[in-house]
Amino acid sequence: SQTIHQWPATLVQPVGSPLSLECTVEGTSNPNLYWYRQAAGRGLQLLFYSVGIGQISSEVPQNLSASRPQDRQFILSSKKLLLSDSGFYLCAWDRTSSYEQYFGPGTRLTVT
Amino acid sequence: GESVGLHLPTLSVQEGDNSIINCAYSNSASDYFIWYKQESGKGPQFIIDIRSNMDKRQGQRVTVLLNKTVKHLSLQIAATQPGDSAVYFCAETGANSKLTFGKGITLSVRP
């Protein structure tokens, strides 16, 4: 069966510090991968998606970036965090042949 | 632009009653819709989906209804239980065939 992992689960970082969130998927190959951000009481905002290694599409201009160094690894990064980067970050995957996305447990990021 | 939105931000129901969560969508070209349930502090979990060539689909205690004429989607939960308390999202396939999520509605079940 397939599983998706995210870490860390929670993170408190000062403004201006760097960020690296990691997501890995097990039990499948060549998945589509997604990063979402969810502000408190809000919906899901798609940040990035990737259809393959090294292929990243950005949905929203911001100070975040994403990378996919391996087939089942997706990383969300920032060089300098802003207060507005606080939120719940979710990684998800799906198969090319399916629209159903499977979500990870999320990372709660608080920028102070 | 295209959007998926929910009519009400919160819904409170009595345990044992049926719940109906509504969603409006604006992309008439969407051909696939999903309902997700998100419990506090967790990632969304798939509940049920429906394709645009259907108007109703049933699962265990849940039914999704699709009205393409008025671009309306609803999730019905039978005999609502405390474990159903969560935020519910509808999602549709967008212009690039990626899912677009609605704002979310909180379902609160009263004992």
Side-chain angles (χ1 to χ4, degrees):
Chain A
S1 63
Q2 300 85 18
T3 55
I4 179 168
H5 304 279
Q6 286 186 245
W7 63 90
T10 60
L11 190 60
V12 180
Q13 292 283 94
V15 168
S17 63
L19 172 74
S20 181
L21 303 181
E22 189 165 344
C23 169
T24 59
V25 180
E26 296 178 355
T28 189
S29 59
N30 197 29
N32 297 320
L33 295 171
Y34 305 83
W35 277 113
Y36 290 89
R37 177 169 58 201
Q38 186 176 31
R42 301 294 297 273
L44 299 169
Q45 180 186 34
L46 178 63
L47 302 175
F48 302 95
Y49 69 92
S50 171
V51 299
I53 296 174
Q55 300 179 64
I56 308 295
S57 296
S58 175
E59 292 291 305
V60 181
Q62 59 219 316
N63 72 322
L64 299 171
S65 62
S67 62
R68 185 170 176 174
Q70 300 181 45
D71 181 47
R72 290 169 289 176
Q73 184 185 30
F74 206 22
I75 297 172
L76 183 69
S77 304
S78 174
K79 292 182 179 179
K80 290 185 177 181
L81 284 168
L82 306 173
L83 285 173
S84 58
D85 291 323
S86 294
F88 192 47
Y89 288 82
L90 288 157
C91 181
W93 73 274
D94 67 13
R95 299 181 180 90
T96 301
S97 58
S98 171
Y99 293 123
E100 182 183 344
Q101 292 183 15
Y102 304 88
F103 286 83
T107 295
R108 175 76 60 191
L109 172 65
T110 302
V111 182
T112 60
Chain B
E2 303 293 357
S3 65
V4 178
L6 297 175
H7 294 299
L8 299 172
T10 60
L11 175 66
S12 180
V13 299
Q14 188 71 39
E15 181 179 356
D17 287 352
N18 297 333
S19 301
I20 300 176
I21 303 171
N22 296 305
C23 178
Y25 66 94
S26 58
N27 184 358
S28 57
S30 292
D31 60 1
Y32 182 71
F33 303 86
I34 301 181
W35 281 101
Y36 282 90
K37 173 186 179 183
Q38 186 179 23
E39 297 178 353
S40 180
K42 298 183 179 179
Q45 298 294 313
F46 171 89
I47 301 174
I48 193 168
D49 59 0
I50 189 168
R51 292 201 173 272
S52 59
N53 61 354
M54 305 171 67
D55 54 19
K56 181 179 180 178
R57 192 169 186 212
Q58 288 184 296
Q60 186 178 11
R61 281 200 310 117
V62 295
T63 301
V64 56
L65 299 176
L66 176 62
N67 185 330
K68 293 182 288 294
T69 301
V70 295
K71 289 184 271 189
H72 184 268
L73 188 72
S74 68
L75 177 70
Q76 299 180 1
I77 304 174
T80 311
Q81 303 170 359
D84 295 325
S85 294
V87 177
Y88 290 80
F89 294 96
C90 64
E92 55 149 356
T93 51
N96 58 0
S97 296
K98 299 305 176 187
L99 286 179
T100 299
F101 288 84
K103 188 175 180 179
I105 183 168
T106 300
L107 176 64
S108 177
V109 182
R110 304 188 303 272

